[in-house]
Each structure stands twice: as structure tokens, then as C-alpha cells.
Amino acid sequence: MAFGFCNVLPFSSFLDENENGLRWSCMASHRVGPVGETGLSDSGPSNPHVPYSVFHGSNVPTSFINQEGSAFDFRELEEAIVLQGVKIRNDEAKAPLFTGRPAATLEMFPSWPMRFQTTPRVGSSKSGGESTDSGSAVNTFSSKAEVQLESESPISNKASSSDHQAFDHQKHLQLQQQQIQQEMANDRSRAGPSQNQSDVKAPQEKRKGSGGSSSTSEKQLDAKTLRRLAQNREAARKSRLRKKAYVQQLESSRMKLTHIEQDLQRARAQGLFLGGCGGAGGNLSSGAAIFDMEYARWLEDDHRLMAELRTGLHAHLSDGDLRLIVEGYISHYDEIFRLKGVAAKSDVFHVITGLWMTPAERCFLWIGGFRPSDLIKMLIGQLEPLTEQQLVGIYRLQQSTQQAEEALSQGQEQLQQSLIETIAAAGPVIDGMQQMVVALGKLSNLEGFVRQADNLRQQTLHQLRHVLTIRQAARCFLVIGEYYGRLRALSSLWASRPRESLMSEDHNSCQTTATDHLQIVHQSAHNHFSTF
Amino acid sequence: MHYQTESWGSYMPTRSANVGDPLERIERLASENAVVIFSMSTCCMCHAIKRLFCGMGVNPTVHELDEDPRGKDMERALMRLLGNSSAVPVVFIGGKLVGAMDRVMASHINGSLVPLLKEAGALWL
């Protein structure tokens, strides 16, 4: 069974019982100053999560959790209790037995798993009126301890909650604490009747066996020395562990640093650092960051839906089935326009400057997205064969998108002109502020333009769906998806293309010719486009 | 637009044209020409919509509400009519309400705008 203990047990003479006992006593000798002595400082290995309980003295709160360990030498506990009692009596003047360590428990008996880490406050609420048994004992020990103690004791007191032998042990502990209170010094009669942990074999046996220990002081001396030694060992062990953890942390940080430096180098080479432009420095607003994430997810969905389109076309699905897939793809685009609308409300600059796009796409940016007439231009050659009516429809669509684009562009130009006048006209301070306010008002119109541009894109896609047959529409959307996929791939290729500036200083290696460049690019392009 | 005229009709004749229901005024103005745009001189989206019609070869009648003494009332009425946060631009074709910028553009893309214009006599081809 696992046992942990959170108390100072000045007994370390029983070290050699077993490994666990040894460990225990190591812990035991940890911090607790022996009764009546200043004892060891509690500078030993301090597991911050280990709750401490201070029963005596201000300087030696020690609680140690030994979560492993099975057998347990109860004699040591007994001695500890005794010494505790002695100490308490001696130090009655000292009220706070706590040194304020966290989650102090009155667990003097390290033979049961300590749950104080997880239940500290859980029990405290229940502990209010329940700690009848432990109440007195608890109160006696420490006013502060009470708070934490209650977390343990009431749990133990509640038979219902003792689904854990720890609780039983705790209960036993309580009673024993009581007895320390009542029978100080040499009272060896651990209250048998209160023991209800039938599952604690060793302690009981040991207890009975230890009933006759005599020279407490003798053991105390030995205990003290041994405890000190054990404490040192423990401290050394803990500090080794800490050092190891720290070194590991350093190593991982170093790796991370080199990665970041590489990314930085690559990004610089790509020329993204244009005078500290918005997104490059990672200074994304929350709305922008959220949109970027949503866009990344949208791109994944895009791949998936395109695969569906592709398989649907090749499988020669019925028109009805294909229609479902096509409608799904259109809804997919409706979704990104909706997301862009939301993002434009919170960060219009992020959307309208296309920071969420790849650089190659951004070349063709028009009010926060693709230009619908460009799309039609791209599609015209790829949609054949078209009926006469369909051709007319496509050309009409091309014309209307061009007209709408022209209108929006001119509206945006007027906005820009008006902004220039407003910002340039800033006069003396007061007027200047006013001008800024006016400028802010004008900037707010940008969101409307993004909204209308996206509306135009959406209507264009819907109209394509209406002009074409379902099969043609499926092919059309597949072409659109592939087109933008290639554009995105172009950005990656461009970024990773070999350039002389990135080559080593060695002149020999710089002798890559243009054809070499092309070959390298061609190869990677080949890899990229293998899916198309 | 039929919904308001009757209720106001009872006292309409007794009032002068200047003290009219803004919505009625809008209605009246809208039916005076084939293509009527309610706009504001400072609004850039209104500029865009004007450019759209001009680019199509249409010559719309534009009422700048910020230059109209009763513009404020009309602006409010339009807002209520459209349910939009912004009153302008609003387009009427052949006396019938088409809508704001998004509706106009959508109807242009889906091909319903041109027939409407032809029907109203704003476009000949």
C-alpha cells in the first residue's frame, strides 16, 4: 500500500526495517526538529506539493508524502506521537504550530496514502461541524492547522467517505492525536478500540510490539542524528532531481530557440518583414487570430470537399447525388464569407489587407478577397462544352461582375480620397482631434466595402451554379478549388526557391545557373502538383 | 408600396405638400422617375451605387438627403423601411423598392436587374 505522511517524525532509528521504512524515515528526519530542539532546518528537499503539518516548533514543519511504500514501521509512529506530545507540552507557549505550509495535515502516520493534495478543500466544507472526535485534538495542535486538518479529519470521520483506507488511517490518527493530548509523555496505550483499520496489519502488530519501548531520549538522540543524515540524503536527491529538470528545460528551450531562429531567417528571406507590417510580428488581434484559425480549418474542409467532388465526378454519380455534393461545396463558400463578415467586424484591416492569405493570392487581392471577374476569366476556357444559352449566361455574369467591381472600387476610391483630405487637414490640436474622430468614422466604412465585396463573390458563385448543369457545376468548383490550391502552392514554392543570397559564402556553391534553379523548382513543383 | 398610403389618406388632402409623411414623400419621389436613388453626398457606398448605374448606361435621379430640409425624417423612415442600420443608399426602380446596395448587386449578378431597368424604361438595348 502506498503511504505518505505529513508529519514530523523524529524517529529514524527504525530505518533499516525495509526500504520503505528507510524512505519514510528519511522523510521523517527531514525537517522536523526533534522535540525540544531547534533541530534541522527545513531546508531539505522540499517538494512544494507536499503538505506540511507542523505540530511543534515553528521551524520544522515537515510533511512528506511517500506515495510508494508498503510496509510501515509503526513503532516509529508511536515514538513520534510520544515525542510530539512531549514537544507539545514543552512548547505549549507556542501557539501556531504551523509554519504556514500548504495543506497541513495531521497525518502523523505515513502508512496510508495521503489525499490531502486533492481533498484539501473538499473536506473543509464538510469538516465544519463534524470533527467531533478530532476537534479537540485538532484545535489543540494548531489554529491554522485546523483549516487543513479538517480537510482530512472529517473525511476520516465520515464512515461513508472512507472508501479509502487512508481515511481509516486518518481516523485512527485523530484518535491517537487525542491521546497524545490526553496522555502525554510516556503513555503507550494507543487506543486500540478506535482502531478500525483492520486492513492495517503491520501497524497494529508493530504497535503492540512496541508497547514497551523505554528510553525515548536515547532513541531520540540516535534518531536525531540519523534523521539529519537521512534528511541530507533526501535534500541531495531532491536537488539532483531539480537540477536535472532544469537542464532538460534548458535543452528544450535551446531547441525551440534554434527553430525560431530558422523560421525567422526563412521569413526574412521571404520578405515578409516589410517595415513591421501587421501580421508578421505576431501582433494579431484576437479577432484576426480567431479568423486565421477558422480559415485554416476551412482550408482543410476545402481539401476534403474537393476530394468528394472529384470522386463524385469520376464515379458518375446521379445528378441528384452530385447536386448534394455541389450544394455542400457552395455552403462551404457561404461559410467562409460569413466568417469573413464576423472577422471584418472585429478587425477589418486584417481582412481587407489579406493577411490571412498566402502572398501569391495577395497579389490579386481586391477588397479583402479574390476578384470575381478574374475567376470568370479563369473559368471561361475550362467549362466547355457550353450551350449557347450557357455561354451567354457566362458572359453576362462576367460583364455584371466587372461592372459591380468597378462600382465598388470607385466607391472605395472616394472613401480613400475623403480620408486623405480628413487626415491631411488636421490643424491645431483641438481641430486635429476632431479630424481624427472624423477619420475614424470614415474608416468604419471599410467594413461595409468588405461586406459588399464578399457579397459579390458569393453571388457570383451562386450564379455559376445556376447557369451550369449540375455536372458542369461540379467540374467548375473543382477547377476553382484546384486553381486556388495552385496559387497557394506557388507561394510555398516561391518561398523555398533556392537563391544565391541564401547560399554559403563559398563561391563554388554559388554557381547555380538559371537552369539549375528551374530544375530544382520544377522538381518541387512536380511533387506539389502530383495530386492535380 | 401600398401599406401606408391609405391610413394617411384621411387627412392628406388638408395638408400642404410640405408637411407630409416622410414615407409618402419618399414614395412620391420614387415614382417620379424610372430610377431613383436616395443618397447622401458624403456616403461613399452611395457613390458606388451611383457609379454602378452610370456604368450600365442608366441615368438615375439622386436625392441627397443631407441636402434636403426634411432629409432627417426621410432618413429615419428609410431606416425603418429597410430595417437597416444605414438608410442610404436605397434604390427604387419603376416606383418599386429594390433595396440597398447588397440587394441591388445581387439582382445585377443574378440577371434580374437589367430586365427591371428595361421594364421601367431606364435602359434601352
Side-chain angles (χ1 to χ4, degrees):
Chain A
M1 66 187 163
F3 65 90
F5 36 97
C6 60
N7 194 2
V8 180
L9 294 173
F11 297 101
S12 54
S13 56
F14 306 101
L15 288 174
D16 41 317
E17 284 291 332
N18 49 37
E19 190 200 320
N20 294 325
L22 181 66
R23 199 181 315 144
W24 168 81
S25 53
C26 282
M27 301 286 238
S29 58
H30 211 145
R31 269 180 206 73
V32 180
V35 174
E37 300 172 1
T38 52
L40 312 164
S41 67
D42 51 341
S43 57
S46 52
N47 178 354
H49 303 294
V50 173
Y52 297 101
S53 66
V54 183
F55 288 140
H56 57 275
S58 51
N59 60 337
V60 276
T62 305
S63 64
F64 16 79
I65 306 169
N66 189 343
Q67 298 280 352
E68 311 98 22
S70 50
F72 155 81
D73 190 350
F74 211 76
R75 285 177 293 168
E76 305 167 43
L77 278 178
E78 192 184 313
E79 302 287 359
I81 295 164
V82 168
L83 284 184
Q84 289 285 345
V86 172
K87 173 75 176 168
I88 286 162
R89 187 192 282 174
N90 293 342
D91 297 351
E92 238 162 348
K94 294 187 183 178
L97 297 178
F98 241 55
T99 58
R101 298 297 178 100
T105 66
L106 266 181
E107 304 309 327
M108 298 164 58
F109 307 105
S111 63
W112 36 85
M114 298 316 293
R115 282 293 184 267
F116 38 69
Q117 283 179 348
T118 54
T119 60
R121 299 300 163 226
V122 173
S124 56
S125 56
K126 316 184 245 180
S127 69
E130 292 194 25
S131 50
T132 47
D133 282 349
S134 57
S136 52
V138 172
N139 292 332
T140 315
F141 285 133
S142 152
S143 52
K144 271 196 206 176
E146 206 171 288
V147 178
Q148 268 90 6
L149 290 175
E150 287 178 348
S151 67
E152 304 311 315
S153 52
I155 296 173
S156 65
N157 283 336
K158 288 174 65 166
S160 60
S161 64
S162 58
D163 53 340
H164 202 74
Q165 65 183 27
F167 301 142
D168 288 340
H169 293 286
Q170 293 175 19
K171 188 171 184 177
H172 174 67
L173 174 61
Q174 299 303 329
L175 293 161
Q176 294 198 333
Q177 289 163 359
Q178 271 184 333
Q179 293 177 3
I180 293 171
Q181 196 56 25
Q182 296 154 10
E183 317 161 56
M184 293 294 196
N186 297 324
D187 190 359
R188 292 280 185 273
S189 61
R190 298 291 154 254
S194 60
Q195 291 186 26
N196 52 2
Q197 61 273 43
S198 49
D199 41 0
V200 181
K201 318 154 275 222
Q204 288 185 6
E205 294 163 20
K206 296 280 165 62
R207 156 165 309 154
K208 285 165 191 157
S210 65
S213 64
S214 49
S215 53
T216 312
S217 47
E218 235 175 59
K219 279 186 179 157
Q220 196 175 340
L221 275 172
D222 286 346
K224 180 188 171 183
T225 316
L226 284 165
R227 187 168 21 94
R228 194 181 286 146
L229 289 172
Q231 187 176 350
N232 289 343
R233 275 196 294 277
E234 192 58 37
R237 188 176 76 88
K238 285 272 169 72
S239 98
R240 275 197 299 276
L241 285 172
R242 268 205 307 271
K243 181 182 174 186
K244 189 178 169 195
Y246 179 63
V247 167
Q248 276 175 355
Q249 200 185 359
L250 279 178
E251 286 294 318
S252 67
S253 299
R254 200 167 65 84
M255 290 294 300
K256 205 175 159 194
L257 191 62
T258 50
H259 281 308
I260 292 175
E261 277 176 358
Q262 284 170 7
D263 286 350
L264 202 64
Q265 172 72 9
R266 223 179 298 130
R268 274 221 184 88
Q270 291 178 27
L272 286 181
F273 281 14
L274 310 166
C277 65
N283 301 323
L284 292 175
S285 70
S286 66
I290 290 170
F291 177 71
D292 284 358
M293 273 188 340
E294 289 170 335
Y295 180 62
R297 212 181 326 135
W298 186 87
L299 281 177
E300 285 172 18
D301 288 344
D302 198 54
H303 285 145
R304 185 175 44 85
L305 287 168
M306 273 180 39
E308 267 184 45
L309 275 172
R310 210 173 281 125
T311 52
L313 277 171
H314 290 155
H316 297 288
L317 290 179
S318 72
D319 276 8
D321 293 339
L322 208 51
R323 177 170 291 115
L324 283 173
I325 301 178
V326 169
E327 302 286 345
Y329 196 73
I330 295 181
S331 310
H332 172 65
Y333 262 97
D334 287 345
E335 178 63 14
I336 191 62
F337 293 132
R338 186 189 69 81
L339 290 171
K340 279 172 78 181
V342 172
K345 276 191 171 55
S346 74
D347 190 346
V348 68
F349 283 127
H350 182 76
V351 178
I352 208 171
T353 53
L355 289 174
W356 48 280
M357 296 172 146
T358 60
E361 287 174 290
R362 225 177 290 141
C363 270
F364 304 96
L365 186 69
W366 176 77
I367 312 186
F370 65 83
R371 200 181 268 270
S373 56
D374 280 352
L375 193 70
I376 307 295
K377 242 184 273 177
M378 183 271 292
L379 284 171
I380 278 187
Q382 317 236 4
L383 293 176
E384 266 118 51
L386 294 174
T387 68
E388 191 74 30
Q389 195 181 15
Q390 285 177 327
L391 264 174
V392 170
I394 296 292
Y395 276 111
R396 275 212 185 119
L397 184 59
Q398 187 179 31
Q399 195 183 26
S400 55
T401 51
Q402 276 171 342
Q403 285 169 343
E405 279 167 30
E406 185 60 29
L408 283 178
S409 297
Q410 291 199 12
Q412 199 191 20
E413 261 176 48
Q414 204 213 28
L415 176 64
Q416 284 173 345
Q417 186 59 38
S418 161
L419 258 174
I420 291 171
E421 288 166 10
T422 305
I423 298 171
V429 173
I430 297 183
D431 283 358
M433 276 316 296
Q434 178 128 15
Q435 293 293 76
M436 293 303 256
V437 169
V438 172
L440 277 175
K442 292 187 177 175
L443 270 182
S444 64
N445 287 309
L446 277 177
E447 191 207 322
F449 277 97
V450 173
R451 193 68 216 106
Q452 294 305 329
D454 277 348
N455 182 31
L456 187 60
R457 293 174 192 118
Q458 190 176 22
Q459 294 301 321
T460 305
L461 290 173
H462 282 241
Q463 183 63 10
L464 273 172
R465 160 73 188 89
H466 286 129
V467 169
L468 302 170
T469 66
I470 199 66
R471 195 146 230 101
Q472 288 168 329
R475 247 188 321 124
C476 168
F477 289 124
L478 199 57
V479 167
I480 292 174
E482 282 180 3
Y483 174 76
Y484 286 113
R486 287 179 203 178
L487 208 49
R488 285 190 283 271
L490 203 59
S491 298
S492 317
L493 285 174
W494 180 258
S496 58
R497 80 193 187 285
R499 280 163 289 171
E500 283 187 26
S501 57
L502 293 184
M503 295 289 197
S504 68
E505 286 74 2
D506 181 8
H507 281 292
N508 293 336
S509 65
C510 287
Q511 297 303 323
T512 52
T513 62
T515 48
D516 288 346
H517 277 259
L518 271 175
Q519 276 172 5
I520 296 166
V521 173
H522 180 76
Q523 187 54 43
S524 36
H526 186 73
N527 297 338
H528 262 275
F529 292 129
S530 57
T531 54
F532 289 130
Chain B
M1 297 172 353
H2 310 288
Y3 53 103
Q4 291 262 2
T5 30
E6 286 181 0
S7 57
W8 292 108
S10 54
Y11 55 85
M12 252 332 277
T14 62
R15 297 181 183 261
S16 69
N18 279 343
V19 190
D21 172 43
L23 211 51
E24 251 228 5
R25 183 146 189 274
I26 290 169
E27 247 184 83
R28 195 164 41 79
L29 289 172
S31 49
E32 283 175 0
N33 294 93
V35 180
V36 176
I37 305 179
F38 290 97
S39 150
M40 280 204 262
S41 55
T42 54
C43 166
C44 36
M45 196 57 81
C46 301
H47 182 76
I49 216 171
K50 288 176 222 167
R51 303 288 350 133
L52 178 64
F53 282 105
C54 296
M56 289 164 62
V58 175
N59 194 15
T61 307
V62 180
H63 297 283
E64 306 282 6
L65 293 182
D66 52 343
E67 292 165 0
D68 190 306
R70 280 164 290 174
K72 270 281 166 212
D73 296 334
M74 289 164 71
E75 196 184 327
R76 267 192 299 262
L78 280 172
M79 263 196 271
R80 254 181 286 127
L81 185 65
L82 294 174
N84 272 4
S85 53
S86 84
V88 292
V90 180
V91 174
F92 289 82
I93 297 179
K96 284 186 284 204
L97 174 68
V98 174
M101 182 57 142
D102 52 351
R103 291 278 281 276
V104 170
M105 278 213 310
S107 70
H108 190 34
I109 296 301
N110 68 28
S112 58
L113 187 64
V114 168
L116 211 56
L117 287 168
K118 285 185 181 168
E119 201 185 343
L123 206 58
W124 296 278
L125 198 210

